[in-house]
Amino acid sequence: MAATAAQRKWRDKHRYVKSQLNVMTRRLVHGYLEDIARTFALRGKGEAVTFAGFAVKALMQRAEYDGAAARMLDQFAESYRRDRDLYSA
């Protein structure tokens, strides 16, 4: 765990553009993030989370005018809701 002074310094430096996100999740999801980071040459699991958010947002925007993307997004959401206990903490 980072020292309080180091955390304060980081927060002061990035307060307008970043916020820290600490989440507990199953090891399965950590494996997914490591795989995403490797596959897309990212800098680690933190950047994989950012990329996943970017990819979902892009899919949402595409779904606004592309029926196939809308169906795919709906299927992803339905599948996640059905199996939520496998993924959430």
Side-chain angles (χ1 to χ4, degrees):
M1 189 69 154
T4 304
Q7 289 177 345
R8 190 176 328 106
K9 182 179 177 181
W10 185 92
R11 288 186 184 111
D12 288 345
K13 180 179 178 183
H14 298 289
R15 74 176 161 265
Y16 297 116
V17 294
K18 293 184 178 185
S19 63
Q20 192 170 4
L21 176 66
N22 294 322
V23 294
M24 293 291 291
T25 189
R26 297 186 184 275
R27 290 184 193 274
L28 175 73
V29 175
H30 281 275
Y32 291 167
L33 292 172
E34 289 169 355
D35 185 42
I36 291 168
R38 258 191 322 276
T39 301
F40 295 100
L42 304 174
R43 290 178 288 196
K45 292 188 289 185
E47 195 172 11
V49 170
T50 303
F51 179 76
F54 169 81
V56 170
K57 185 62 177 177
L59 184 57
M60 289 168 61
Q61 291 172 345
R62 175 68 57 94
E64 292 176 5
Y65 62 87
D66 183 346
R71 285 188 298 280
M72 185 183 304
L73 187 59
D74 287 343
Q75 290 169 347
F76 290 159
E78 181 182 331
S79 177
Y80 176 79
R81 281 191 294 272
R82 183 180 56 241
D83 299 329
R84 176 176 275 153
D85 293 338
L86 292 174
Y87 304 109
S88 61

